[in-house]
Coordinates of all heavy atoms in Angstrom, one line a residue:
Q247 N 25.1 -117.6 6.8 CA 24.2 -118.8 6.8 C 23.0 -118.6 6.0 O 21.9 -119.0 6.4 CB 23.9 -119.2 8.2 CG 25.0 -119.7 9.0 CD 25.7 -118.7 9.8 OE1 25.1 -117.8 10.3 NE2 27.0 -118.8 10.0
T248 N 23.1 -117.8 4.9 CA 21.9 -117.6 4.0 C 21.8 -118.7 3.0 O 22.7 -118.9 2.3 CB 22.0 -116.2 3.3 OG1 22.2 -115.2 4.3 CG2 20.7 -115.9 2.6
M249 N 20.7 -119.4 3.0 CA 20.5 -120.5 2.0 C 20.3 -119.9 0.6 O 19.6 -118.9 0.4 CB 19.3 -121.3 2.4 CG 19.0 -122.5 1.4 SD 17.8 -123.6 1.9 CE 18.8 -124.7 3.0
V250 N 20.9 -120.5 -0.4 CA 20.8 -120.0 -1.8 C 20.2 -121.1 -2.6 O 20.6 -122.3 -2.6 CB 22.2 -119.7 -2.3 CG1 22.1 -119.2 -3.8 CG2 22.9 -118.6 -1.5
A251 N 19.2 -120.7 -3.4 CA 18.6 -121.6 -4.4 C 18.8 -121.1 -5.8 O 18.5 -119.9 -6.1 CB 17.1 -121.7 -4.1
A252 N 19.4 -121.9 -6.6 CA 19.6 -121.5 -8.0 C 18.5 -122.0 -8.9 O 18.0 -123.1 -8.8 CB 20.9 -122.1 -8.5
I253 N 17.9 -121.0 -9.7 CA 16.8 -121.4 -10.6 C 17.4 -121.8 -11.9 O 18.1 -121.0 -12.6 CB 15.9 -120.2 -10.8 CG1 15.4 -119.6 -9.5 CG2 14.7 -120.5 -11.7 CD1 14.6 -118.3 -9.6
V254 N 17.2 -123.0 -12.3 CA 17.8 -123.6 -13.6 C 16.6 -124.0 -14.5 O 15.5 -124.2 -14.0 CB 18.8 -124.7 -13.3 CG1 19.9 -124.3 -12.5 CG2 18.1 -125.9 -12.6
G255 N 16.9 -124.3 -15.7 CA 15.9 -124.8 -16.6 C 16.2 -124.5 -18.1 O 17.2 -123.7 -18.4
Y256 N 15.4 -125.0 -18.9 CA 15.6 -124.8 -20.4 C 15.2 -123.4 -20.7 O 14.4 -122.7 -19.9 CB 14.7 -125.8 -21.1 CG 15.1 -126.1 -22.5 CD1 16.1 -127.1 -22.7 CD2 14.6 -125.5 -23.6 CE1 16.6 -127.4 -24.0 CE2 15.0 -125.9 -24.9 CZ 16.0 -126.8 -25.1 OH 16.4 -127.2 -26.3
T257 N 15.8 -122.8 -21.7 CA 15.5 -121.4 -22.0 C 14.0 -121.3 -22.3 O 13.3 -122.1 -22.9 CB 16.3 -120.9 -23.2 OG1 16.0 -119.6 -23.5 CG2 16.0 -121.8 -24.5
N258 N 13.5 -120.1 -21.9 CA 12.0 -119.8 -22.1 C 11.1 -120.7 -21.3 O 9.9 -120.8 -21.6 CB 11.7 -119.8 -23.5 CG 10.5 -118.9 -23.9 OD1 10.2 -117.9 -23.2 ND2 9.7 -119.3 -24.9
A259 N 11.6 -121.3 -20.2 CA 10.7 -122.1 -19.3 C 9.9 -121.2 -18.3 O 8.9 -121.7 -17.7 CB 11.5 -123.2 -18.6
G260 N 10.4 -120.0 -18.1 CA 9.7 -119.1 -17.1 C 10.5 -118.8 -15.8 O 10.0 -118.4 -14.8
K261 N 11.9 -119.0 -15.9 CA 12.7 -118.8 -14.8 C 12.7 -117.3 -14.3 O 12.5 -117.0 -13.1 CB 14.2 -119.2 -15.1 CG 14.3 -120.6 -15.5 CD 15.8 -121.0 -15.7 CE 16.5 -120.2 -16.7 NZ 15.8 -120.2 -18.1
S262 N 12.9 -116.4 -15.2 CA 12.9 -115.0 -14.8 C 11.5 -114.5 -14.4 O 11.4 -113.7 -13.5 CB 13.3 -114.1 -16.0 OG 14.7 -114.5 -16.4
T263 N 10.5 -115.0 -15.0 CA 9.1 -114.7 -14.5 C 8.9 -115.2 -13.1 O 8.3 -114.5 -12.3 CB 8.1 -115.4 -15.5 OG1 8.4 -115.1 -16.8 CG2 6.7 -114.8 -15.2
L264 N 9.4 -116.3 -12.8 CA 9.3 -116.8 -11.4 C 10.0 -115.9 -10.4 O 9.5 -115.5 -9.4 CB 9.9 -118.3 -11.3 CG 10.0 -118.9 -9.9 CD1 8.6 -119.1 -9.3 CD2 10.8 -120.1 -9.9
L265 N 11.3 -115.5 -10.8 CA 12.0 -114.6 -9.9 C 11.3 -113.3 -9.7 O 11.2 -112.8 -8.6 CB 13.4 -114.4 -10.5 CG 14.4 -113.6 -9.7 CD1 14.9 -114.5 -8.5 CD2 15.6 -113.2 -10.5
N266 N 10.7 -112.8 -10.8 CA 10.0 -111.5 -10.7 C 8.8 -111.7 -9.8 O 8.5 -110.8 -9.0 CB 9.5 -111.1 -12.1 CG 10.7 -110.5 -12.9 OD1 11.7 -110.2 -12.4 ND2 10.5 -110.5 -14.2
R267 N 8.1 -112.8 -9.9 CA 6.8 -113.0 -9.2 C 7.1 -113.1 -7.6 O 6.3 -112.6 -6.9 CB 6.2 -114.3 -9.7 CG 4.8 -114.6 -9.0 CD 3.7 -113.8 -9.6 NE 2.4 -113.9 -8.9 CZ 1.3 -114.1 -9.5 NH1 1.2 -114.1 -10.8 NH2 0.2 -114.2 -8.8
V268 N 8.1 -113.8 -7.3 CA 8.3 -114.1 -5.8 C 9.2 -113.1 -5.1 O 9.3 -113.1 -3.9 CB 8.8 -115.6 -5.6 CG1 7.8 -116.5 -6.1 CG2 10.1 -115.8 -6.2
T269 N 9.9 -112.3 -5.9 CA 10.9 -111.3 -5.3 C 10.7 -109.9 -5.7 O 11.5 -109.0 -5.3 CB 12.3 -111.8 -5.5 OG1 12.7 -111.6 -6.9 CG2 12.6 -113.2 -5.1
D270 N 9.9 -109.6 -6.7 CA 9.8 -108.3 -7.3 C 11.1 -107.8 -7.9 O 11.6 -106.7 -7.7 CB 9.3 -107.2 -6.3 CG 7.9 -107.5 -5.8 OD1 7.1 -108.0 -6.7 OD2 7.6 -107.3 -4.7
A271 N 11.8 -108.8 -8.6 CA 13.1 -108.5 -9.1 C 13.1 -107.5 -10.3 O 14.1 -106.9 -10.6 CB 13.8 -109.8 -9.5
Q272 N 12.0 -107.5 -11.0 CA 11.9 -106.6 -12.2 C 12.9 -107.0 -13.3 O 13.5 -106.1 -13.9 CB 12.0 -105.2 -11.8 CG 10.8 -104.7 -10.9 CD 10.9 -103.3 -10.6 OE1 11.8 -102.6 -10.8 NE2 9.8 -102.8 -10.0
V273 N 13.2 -108.3 -13.5 CA 14.1 -108.7 -14.5 C 13.3 -108.8 -15.8 O 12.1 -109.2 -15.8 CB 14.7 -110.1 -14.1 CG1 15.5 -110.7 -15.3 CG2 15.5 -110.0 -12.9
L274 N 14.0 -108.5 -16.9 CA 13.3 -108.6 -18.2 C 12.8 -110.0 -18.4 O 13.5 -111.0 -18.3 CB 14.3 -108.3 -19.4 CG 13.8 -108.5 -20.8 CD1 12.7 -107.5 -21.1 CD2 14.9 -108.3 -21.8
S275 N 11.5 -110.1 -18.8 CA 10.9 -111.4 -19.0 C 10.0 -111.3 -20.3 O 9.1 -110.6 -20.3 CB 10.0 -111.7 -17.8 OG 9.3 -112.9 -18.0
E276 N 10.5 -112.1 -21.3 CA 9.8 -112.1 -22.6 C 9.6 -113.6 -23.0 O 10.3 -114.4 -22.6 CB 10.5 -111.3 -23.6 CG 10.7 -109.9 -23.4 CD 11.5 -109.2 -24.5 OE1 12.4 -109.8 -25.1 OE2 11.2 -108.0 -24.8
D277 N 8.6 -113.7 -23.9 CA 8.4 -115.1 -24.5 C 9.3 -115.3 -25.7 O 8.9 -115.4 -26.8 CB 6.9 -115.2 -24.9 CG 6.6 -116.6 -25.4 OD1 7.3 -117.6 -25.0 OD2 5.6 -116.8 -26.1
K278 N 10.6 -115.3 -25.3 CA 11.7 -115.5 -26.3 C 12.8 -116.3 -25.7 O 12.9 -116.4 -24.5 CB 12.3 -114.1 -26.7 CG 11.4 -113.2 -27.6 CD 12.2 -112.0 -27.9 CE 11.3 -111.0 -28.8 NZ 12.1 -109.8 -29.1
L279 N 13.5 -117.0 -26.6 CA 14.7 -117.7 -26.2 C 15.8 -116.8 -25.7 O 16.0 -115.8 -26.3 CB 15.3 -118.6 -27.3 CG 14.3 -119.6 -27.9 CD1 15.0 -120.4 -29.0 CD2 13.7 -120.5 -26.9
F280 N 16.4 -117.1 -24.5 CA 17.4 -116.3 -23.9 C 17.0 -114.8 -23.8 O 17.8 -113.9 -24.1 CB 18.7 -116.4 -24.8 CG 19.3 -117.7 -24.9 CD1 19.4 -118.3 -26.2 CD2 19.7 -118.5 -23.9 CE1 19.9 -119.6 -26.4 CE2 20.2 -119.7 -24.0 CZ 20.3 -120.3 -25.3
A281 N 15.8 -114.6 -23.2 CA 15.3 -113.2 -23.0 C 16.2 -112.5 -22.0 O 16.5 -111.3 -22.1 CB 13.9 -113.2 -22.5
T282 N 16.7 -113.2 -21.0 CA 17.7 -112.7 -20.1 C 18.9 -113.5 -20.1 O 18.9 -114.7 -20.2 CB 17.1 -112.7 -18.6 OG1 16.6 -114.0 -18.3 CG2 15.9 -111.7 -18.5
L283 N 20.1 -112.8 -19.9 CA 21.4 -113.4 -20.0 C 22.1 -113.3 -18.7 O 22.7 -114.2 -18.2 CB 22.2 -112.8 -21.2 CG 23.6 -113.3 -21.3 CD1 23.7 -114.8 -21.6 CD2 24.2 -112.6 -22.5
D284 N 22.1 -112.1 -18.2 CA 22.9 -111.8 -17.0 C 22.2 -112.4 -15.7 O 21.0 -112.2 -15.5 CB 23.1 -110.3 -16.8 CG 23.9 -109.8 -18.0 OD1 24.9 -110.3 -18.3 OD2 23.3 -108.8 -18.7
P285 N 22.9 -113.1 -14.8 CA 22.3 -113.7 -13.6 C 21.9 -112.6 -12.6 O 22.6 -111.5 -12.5 CB 23.5 -114.5 -13.1 CG 24.7 -113.9 -13.6 CD 24.4 -113.4 -14.9
T286 N 20.8 -112.8 -12.0 CA 20.3 -111.9 -11.0 C 20.0 -112.7 -9.7 O 19.4 -113.7 -9.7 CB 19.0 -111.2 -11.5 OG1 19.2 -110.6 -12.7 CG2 18.5 -110.2 -10.5
T287 N 20.4 -112.1 -8.5 CA 20.1 -112.7 -7.2 C 19.3 -111.7 -6.4 O 19.6 -110.6 -6.3 CB 21.5 -113.0 -6.5 OG1 22.3 -113.9 -7.3 CG2 21.2 -113.6 -5.1
R288 N 18.2 -112.3 -5.9 CA 17.3 -111.5 -5.1 C 16.9 -112.3 -3.8 O 16.8 -113.5 -3.9 CB 16.0 -111.1 -5.9 CG 16.3 -110.1 -7.0 CD 16.7 -108.7 -6.5 NE 16.8 -107.8 -7.6 CZ 17.9 -107.6 -8.3 NH1 19.0 -108.3 -7.9 NH2 18.0 -106.7 -9.2
A289 N 16.5 -111.6 -2.8 CA 16.0 -112.2 -1.5 C 14.5 -112.5 -1.6 O 13.8 -111.7 -2.1 CB 16.3 -111.3 -0.3

Side-chain angles (χ1 to χ4, degrees):
Q247 291 93 35
T248 307
M249 180 171 276
V250 179
I253 305 173
V254 300
Y256 208 79
T257 182
N258 204 28
K261 300 184 302 301
S262 299
T263 309
L264 173 67
L265 187 70
N266 288 340
R267 181 78 186 226
V268 299
T269 68
D270 296 322
Q272 298 183 347
V273 174
L274 174 66
S275 175
E276 295 179 328
D277 186 19
K278 287 183 179 178
L279 303 182
F280 301 117
T282 53
L283 175 60
D284 301 304
T286 304
T287 300
R288 293 290 184 273

